[in-house]
Amino acid sequence: MAEPTSGLLTEQEAAVYDRQIRVWGVDAQRRLSKARVLVVGIYGVIAEACKNLVLAGIGSLTLMDDTPVTLDAAASNFLVYVDEIQNQGKSVAQVCADAVGDYNPMVRVQVQQGNILEKPIEFLDDYDVVILGRSSLSLRKKVNALCRSRPQRVAFYAVDVRSSCGNLFIDFQTCTFKSQKKDDDKELEYSKKTCSLEESLSVRWNSLPKRASKLFFATRIVDEFEQRENRQPGQLTSSDLPALIAFGTERLQEQGLAMVPAIESLLTKIAENGTFELSPVCAIMGGVLGQEVLKLLSCKGEPIQNYFFFDASDGKGMIEEVTP
Amino acid sequence: MSAMADKEAIENAKVLMVGAGGIGCELLKTLVLTGFKHIHVIDMDTIEVSNLNRQFLFRKRHVGQSKAQVAREAVLRFRPDVDIVAHHANVKSPQFGVGYFQQFNLVLNGLDNLDARRHVNRLCLAADVPLVESGTTGYLGQVTVHMKGTTECYECQPKPAPKTYPVCTITSTPSKPVHCIVWAKDLPFLKLFGDKSLSNDLDVRSSGADSSVEQEEASFFDVQDGESSKAYAARVFDRLFGQNIDIALKNEGAWKERRKPTPLYLDSIWTSEEKYDERADHGSENGHENGSVQEEKPKDDGAALSAMTGLGLKNPQEIWSVKDNARVFLETVRLFLDNRKEELGRLTFDKDDQLAVEFVTAAANLRANSFGIPMQTMFDVKGIAGNIIHAIATTNAIVAGLIVLEALKLLGKDRGASRMTYCLEHASRKLLLMPCEMDVPNPKCYVCSQTPLVLEVNTKTVTLRDVVNKIARKKLGASFPTIMQGYNVLCETGDDIDKHSAAIYEAKLDTKLDALTPVPLVNGVEITIEDLQQEFSCIVHVKHREDFSEEEDDQMRLGGLELLTATTTVVAKDTDVALKATVDVHAASLDEDLVMIDGENAPVVKRKLEERQEPSQKRLKT
């Protein structure tokens, strides 16, 4: 990798990255060029995030998803070119790596085969950030815990889009960053901490503010329901709806809350649409996720913590902090 | 999803995308993934290297090709079954008239300039097609929806005017780096390399009050017989940074309240040893790479020439010393004269012209140094001189997603579901993406409500040409204006005017308003300004006035349009943060004298969120 050791960017970097250097500066760009990101499980929203990270010029992007590429994979994923589907035997990761690697030759894009839980634990030491696509709650907890177990910080992001709803969980552990909080303020250094997914899940729901995003509750209910019913994530249909709503009502009650129409309609939408990802929502969630990872890696700009939700039906993109 | 279109409505919809750049690439991708099958794309631009960090449908190998066409081909790779028509053309060209617009269910804008936005807004109003409008700078973005008669049109609300500077600030009393950059771009650059016959507002006062100097000034910048390019560069240097400052200093009154500038002559810069070197071979400060530039042969690609490289200055992020600025100045002049002779006399500043940027950087810094103003890096000068918009991929992707969601709602026919959405850098009340209700049409809008305007003008000094160019084109956004007084056509423009009429109109253009025939345009006369392609028409009342201030050097002021020229920097009342909304920095187009963006490093015009008269009209949709 052509890494400038001095304070200078290469001519090519300066030319290609000109417009974004005007946003975040040369130092941030240099940090990005050394960052290593691992992505596990490739869906539409992940394709969006990969595109954004590669365009921005991170050092390396590693894709992990052995699923053989099919027409289904192409549905919401613009990294899957149709002529590749006939190329049987290629994995989604391989096809996407080829496509996204072509976006920016200054980024090393590669593929890792296998299952992240079966890798030696040192495997994660090669990465600064791990992004987990659609996954079961238990996988999310496990990978998050693995990230936290490493001596060097490995930041953890989990994202999913169900129908027109997007959710993002962030655990960067600690982060020191430079930020200009208001327009004409001086840029200062700040730091932030996040908790693990496990810790965040221990927060009682009725202790959250009244205006908390309803998507927080809906996604929790769906996660737990899928776990209890032993479903693959997204493997829901409208026939599950009565059981899902009953389960949700019960969970809300346990947490000191009651089922409300807004949550019920989110559950309905999620159950009825199964694995479907609405592409504009992928673009929005992949954009926010990409931006957050870039802020963290460049130490520039205040990163959000620790959840972000977007719901196309009300159009709000909302940050929710859920920490013990 | 109930408010949104179903699969069939999406597949049958025909949409027009204007712009295939930062937002456009993202938008085209998201549209086809969402299931849109019939898309027209219009973009007049070709691909540049600086696009590649965000316009992900383009590769280095596409540089120089049509954005619309390459975007179309790239998208067909992952969606071969989509019908995309790409137009490598200007949306303002006559082929895209009201009839063309009427074939679409929706128009989606991903534009980068005010002119084109206004033009498309009018065509959408005329064709009664809903418009989704968008813009981004850095982390900020916004998406708005415009439906004739239901919501405000794009021009119902004020657009921040590009920042302009008084002529005397630029020519005589600069106090900020930007003043020096504007000066360098509009004065020495054009004088040395541009069209000398073009009149320039800066000419008159460029060398102070001494009229004999002004006389001489005109020929001063010509290369004299037998003069070498180096000698010319040195002569021009001493004039611009030495003599002109000395002349200005004579006007002592001007410096009572100000810090006096210091003249800079070449002699004072070099040591005696360097002076010798200078004559010999323009030695660089580091003493290496001497002569390498001189040997360079003229290249086909003039834009690749560089003075700084030859001088051993590699880092565009570094502030050069005064001496280095002087070297760069001399060397750029020499290179223009020796290697780009054929372009001299017709150059205009182009941010992608390396040598031009180097020249402007050096000239601006040398002037800044004289006036005690901090010097700037070439990177920053390029941004300011070129009105470069800060741009990142993520904001464009988010905004494109929001545009498609609005498109789905519009096709779903639930017009009440439409929102304007702000994309913020710092969350406000936990919201990073903030939807707001669209306003109703502004009854005072001269575009969608046809409210008459008042033109205060000195009818004795202003010509019809001024009204056509500065009012009809620039202020009112007419692409091909026609000016009528009752049934008399005073002026008509466009490609389809016959020669005979064109000659008649041309003859009238330089007539003062009060001398026009058959009816002079004097106090109390009413005129109509139209653009037939845009189906735009506006009634303007003429009001004679003579007491314009020095800064209103056009001797004109369009009233009822105060909103359009308002420059505002206000904090939104309804939110905790100041919102720098996305605005038309490019409105400050490069050919306009003294039009510059505000701020020393951030080309962002601030606009408050609740700029409306009634802050309560806009509220969060809960």
Side-chain angles (χ1 to χ4, degrees):
Chain A
M1 190 169 27
E3 266 183 32
T5 44
S6 70
L8 280 174
L9 297 173
T10 66
E11 215 170 285
Q12 190 185 13
E13 286 172 318
V16 172
Y17 300 142
D18 183 275
R19 298 303 186 266
Q20 67 197 37
I21 292 171
R22 294 177 193 281
V23 175
W24 53 55
V26 178
D27 284 348
Q29 189 63 49
R30 262 202 308 274
R31 286 199 189 91
L32 289 180
S33 73
K34 292 176 185 132
R36 305 152 303 169
V37 177
L38 172 69
V39 160
V40 182
I42 299 163
Y43 298 83
V45 60
I46 292 287
E48 290 280 352
C50 290
K51 170 202 72 195
N52 297 332
L53 294 173
V54 168
L55 288 173
I58 57 169
S60 75
L61 177 71
T62 306
L63 303 180
M64 230 175 147
D65 190 334
D66 294 342
T67 320
V69 66
T70 60
L71 217 49
D72 274 358
S76 58
N77 185 339
F78 55 93
L79 296 177
V80 177
Y81 298 143
V82 173
D83 49 5
E84 294 279 1
I85 297 169
Q86 278 86 40
N87 267 339
Q88 279 153 11
K90 274 200 178 177
S91 68
V92 173
Q94 188 58 60
V95 167
C96 293
D98 291 348
V100 81
D102 192 37
Y103 288 3
N104 186 352
M106 294 180 279
V107 179
R108 196 174 52 208
V109 178
Q110 53 208 2
V111 171
Q112 265 286 341
Q113 293 182 332
N115 180 327
I116 188 166
L117 295 181
E118 289 161 10
K119 297 276 178 190
I121 190 156
E122 298 77 24
F123 171 75
L124 288 179
D125 295 343
D126 292 335
Y127 303 100
D128 303 298
V129 165
V130 173
I131 299 173
L132 196 53
R134 179 174 293 166
S135 52
S136 68
L137 184 59
S138 71
L139 180 63
R140 257 173 280 159
K141 286 187 201 164
K142 280 178 198 159
V143 175
N144 184 205
L146 285 175
C147 290
R148 284 197 152 250
S149 74
R150 307 314 306 145
Q152 297 283 329
R153 180 192 72 183
V154 183
F156 173 80
Y157 296 76
V159 68
D160 197 7
V161 171
R162 301 285 184 99
S163 180
S164 60
C165 304
N167 71 84
L168 168 65
F169 170 77
I170 299 170
D171 176 19
F172 50 69
Q173 301 171 38
T174 60
C175 171
T176 307
F177 60 93
K178 287 186 174 161
S179 174
Q180 219 180 338
K181 293 236 169 167
K182 280 193 184 145
D183 273 356
D184 300 317
D185 283 4
K186 255 185 91 177
E187 188 177 75
L188 295 172
E189 199 167 279
Y190 302 87
S191 63
K192 270 190 166 188
K193 271 186 187 341
T194 53
C195 69
S196 70
L197 180 58
E198 193 85 57
E199 287 168 297
S200 154
L201 295 182
S202 72
V203 174
R204 244 183 102 73
W205 296 359
N206 65 353
S207 68
L208 296 177
K210 279 214 165 60
R211 287 184 62 238
S213 172
K214 299 290 178 280
L215 257 179
F216 174 80
F217 305 109
T219 49
R220 293 288 313 277
I221 292 165
V222 169
D223 277 344
E224 292 180 22
F225 182 79
E226 284 174 346
Q227 187 167 354
R228 190 188 75 172
E229 300 290 309
N230 240 334
R231 305 287 181 85
Q232 289 297 311
Q235 213 188 43
L236 295 174
T237 63
S238 42
S239 63
D240 292 311
L241 202 50
L244 179 64
I245 289 173
F247 175 73
T249 311
E250 189 185 310
R251 286 293 290 133
L252 283 161
Q253 269 165 11
E254 283 167 20
Q255 297 281 339
L257 295 174
M259 178 61 90
V260 291
I263 299 180
E264 200 171 311
S265 91
L266 286 169
L267 292 175
T268 310
K269 189 158 60 178
I270 291 170
E272 283 178 346
N273 286 285
T275 58
F276 171 70
E277 296 172 275
L278 187 63
S279 288
V281 179
C282 291
I284 292 165
M285 292 303 295
V288 173
L289 167 59
Q291 211 156 282
E292 288 308 311
V293 172
L294 294 173
K295 283 187 206 162
L296 182 85
L297 292 172
S298 63
C299 307
K300 178 88 180 186
E302 182 174 4
I304 60 179
Q305 61 184 35
N306 53 350
Y307 288 88
F308 177 79
F309 297 100
F310 179 79
D311 177 7
S313 36
D314 64 12
K316 286 183 195 166
M318 200 176 231
I319 297 166
E320 211 57 74
E321 194 176 338
V322 186
T323 322
Chain B
M1 292 262 296
S2 54
M4 297 201 189
D6 56 20
K7 189 162 179 277
E8 200 189 336
I10 296 170
E11 285 182 356
N12 292 331
K14 192 167 181 182
V15 301
L16 170 62
M17 255 182 64
V18 191
I23 294 171
C25 281
E26 295 286 342
L27 181 56
L28 187 58
K29 170 257 305 165
T30 305
L31 280 173
V32 301
L33 288 175
T34 307
F36 284 87
K37 297 248 186 262
H38 308 284
I39 304 167
H40 279 220
V41 186
I42 301 176
D43 196 314
M44 67 189 290
D45 283 345
T46 54
I47 295 157
E48 291 172 27
V49 172
S50 63
N51 301 149
L52 302 179
N53 78 319
R54 62 198 186 285
Q55 301 178 20
F56 77 104
L57 299 174
F58 311 144
R59 305 285 172 270
K60 209 163 184 190
R61 60 182 178 273
H62 298 131
V63 168
Q65 297 182 36
S66 153
K67 286 190 176 179
Q69 281 157 13
V70 174
R72 173 184 175 274
E73 284 153 28
V75 162
L76 290 178
R77 283 208 68 189
F78 55 87
R79 276 292 184 282
D81 57 336
V82 174
D83 159 37
I84 302 174
V85 179
H87 297 282
H88 182 203
N90 187 338
V91 69
K92 286 164 88 170
S93 66
Q95 57 175 308
F96 307 120
V98 175
Y100 174 83
F101 272 67
Q102 274 166 338
Q103 67 183 301
F104 299 103
N105 301 91
L106 298 171
V107 175
L108 313 174
N109 271 357
L111 282 163
D112 63 356
N113 69 86
L114 185 62
D115 263 8
R117 285 187 168 115
R118 294 170 76 179
H119 185 88
V120 172
N121 178 50
R122 290 160 193 205
L123 281 162
C124 287
L125 286 168
D128 198 9
V129 179
L131 168 67
V132 185
E133 175 60 77
S134 68
T136 65
T137 48
Y139 288 103
L140 305 173
Q142 72 180 23
V143 174
T144 53
V145 181
H146 307 283
M147 291 171 279
K148 188 179 182 176
T150 307
T151 65
E152 61 182 16
C153 84
Y154 176 69
E155 293 172 271
C156 276
Q157 295 298 337
K159 301 290 174 282
K163 177 81 180 163
T164 60
Y165 299 99
V167 170
C168 61
T169 304
I170 303 303
T171 57
S172 314
T173 54
S175 58
K176 290 177 173 177
V178 64
H179 301 150
C180 301
I181 294 166
V182 171
W183 174 85
K185 196 172 93 164
D186 286 350
L187 218 145
F189 185 81
L190 289 180
K191 286 247 190 225
L192 267 60
F193 315 122
D195 185 347
K196 291 184 177 66
S197 69
L198 278 183
S199 71
N200 187 322
D201 287 352
L202 301 183
D203 281 352
V204 192
R205 279 161 277 188
S206 62
S207 49
D210 192 331
S211 65
S212 65
V213 177
E214 275 169 40
Q215 292 274 313
E216 184 209 333
E217 186 89 8
S219 57
F220 186 87
F221 292 100
D222 295 336
V223 182
Q224 283 152 23
D225 284 343
E227 189 177 33
S228 74
S229 54
K230 275 193 208 173
Y232 172 78
R235 183 165 63 86
V236 166
F237 184 104
D238 280 346
R239 173 54 162 267
L240 286 171
F241 306 108
Q243 283 144 276
N244 280 359
I245 303 274
D246 271 330
I247 291 166
L249 282 170
K250 285 185 196 155
N251 179 11
E252 285 183 17
W255 310 109
K256 277 190 180 137
E257 311 266 306
R258 291 190 177 88
R259 178 193 182 280
K260 280 187 185 176
T262 321
L264 182 69
Y265 289 93
L266 277 177
D267 268 350
S268 66
I269 297 178
W270 321 126
T271 63
S272 55
E273 211 169 299
E274 282 169 334
K275 203 159 152 187
Y276 176 76
D277 278 351
E278 192 59 34
R279 297 217 172 110
D281 62 8
H282 265 291
S284 86
E285 196 151 57
N286 303 329
H288 54 72
E289 293 181 287
N290 278 359
S292 63
V293 179
Q294 271 100 326
E295 279 143 34
E296 211 170 313
K297 289 187 187 108
K299 285 180 188 171
D300 292 331
D301 180 12
L305 269 182
S306 163
M308 64 184 278
T309 325
L311 295 170
L313 299 167
K314 295 211 170 61
N315 188 354
Q317 305 267 355
E318 203 171 65
I319 294 176
W320 302 329
S321 66
V322 172
K323 197 181 275 184
D324 280 335
N325 276 299
R327 287 179 205 283
V328 171
F329 180 89
L330 295 170
E331 187 62 3
T332 49
V333 173
R334 193 190 67 73
L335 285 169
F336 269 120
L337 261 57
D338 290 352
N339 296 34
R340 295 175 63 179
K341 208 169 215 134
E342 64 290 352
E343 298 167 71
L344 297 181
R346 57 188 175 83
L347 275 167
T348 50
F349 178 79
D350 172 1
K351 67 181 181 343
D352 297 312
D353 180 339
Q354 173 69 21
L355 206 54
V357 173
E358 291 176 2
F359 173 87
V360 167
T361 306
N365 279 338
L366 290 165
R367 183 169 176 84
N369 178 64
S370 283
F371 283 87
I373 298 165
M375 301 199 291
Q376 303 292 307
T377 67
M378 189 180 79
F379 180 81
D380 287 336
V381 171
K382 182 178 171 177
I384 295 169
N387 285 324
I388 293 176
I389 297 201
H390 302 188
I392 50 178
T394 48
T395 312
N396 288 334
I398 294 167
V399 159
L402 294 169
I403 294 172
V404 175
L405 290 177
E406 291 306 325
L408 293 178
K409 289 190 247 176
L410 287 170
L411 292 174
K413 302 287 182 206
D414 177 4
R415 298 200 155 189
S418 295
R419 292 287 175 273
M420 86 185 296
T421 306
Y422 288 104
C423 183
L424 306 174
E425 179 171 7
H426 304 288
S428 170
R429 301 198 303 201
K430 299 204 296 186
L431 292 178
L432 212 51
L433 301 176
M434 183 192 281
C436 303
E437 274 186 70
M438 291 297 305
D439 278 346
V440 294
N442 175 2
K444 288 187 182 154
C445 178
Y446 71 97
V447 178
C448 70
S449 298
Q450 273 135 30
T451 306
L453 299 170
V454 177
L455 177 63
E456 295 180 313
V457 57
N458 188 337
T459 55
K460 294 177 183 168
T461 58
V462 169
T463 63
L464 185 58
R465 189 188 299 280
D466 292 332
V467 174
V468 171
N469 288 337
K470 294 177 177 170
I471 299 297
R473 287 209 168 95
K474 203 163 150 184
K475 284 258 168 31
L476 296 177
S479 303
F480 298 105
T482 296
I483 299 186
M484 318 250 296
Q485 189 282 310
Y487 291 108
N488 299 310
V489 180
L490 296 174
C491 169
E492 208 177 345
T493 56
D495 301 339
D496 51 347
I497 313 292
D498 66 79
K499 267 190 188 159
H500 177 68
S501 314
I504 294 175
Y505 297 137
E506 182 63 32
K508 279 188 187 172
L509 280 176
D510 290 314
T511 311
K512 305 279 189 276
L513 297 184
D514 66 355
L516 281 166
T517 50
V519 183
L521 294 189
V522 291
N523 198 41
V525 173
E526 183 183 298
I527 56 172
T528 308
I529 299 179
E530 297 182 341
D531 182 308
L532 294 178
Q533 188 193 345
Q534 297 175 348
E535 292 196 4
F536 166 75
S537 174
C538 176
I539 293 168
V540 178
H541 298 279
V542 176
K543 189 177 163 194
H544 177 72
R545 197 184 130 190
E546 294 183 13
D547 55 340
F548 288 98
S549 73
E550 200 173 308
E551 288 180 17
E552 293 173 298
D553 45 10
D554 288 345
Q555 305 266 294
M556 286 191 281
R557 186 168 183 279
L558 197 58
L561 269 179
E562 291 86 351
L563 294 176
L564 250 189
T565 51
T567 39
T568 44
T569 308
V570 199
V571 177
K573 287 190 190 117
D574 200 35
T575 60
D576 308 329
V577 292
L579 174 72
K580 295 182 283 184
T582 68
V583 288
D584 303 283
V585 180
H586 272 299
S589 64
L590 303 181
D591 54 0
E592 285 170 321
D593 285 345
L594 297 185
V595 172
M596 272 303 310
I597 40 78
D598 196 10
E600 302 192 2
N601 42 38
V604 167
V605 185
K606 290 155 206 161
R607 178 187 170 201
K608 81 171 187 175
L609 183 59
E610 318 285 354
E611 205 164 44
R612 323 301 148 107
Q613 303 85 330
E614 303 275 340
S616 59
Q617 280 179 3
K618 181 162 306 302
R619 55 194 173 270
L620 265 178
K621 188 70 188 169
T622 47

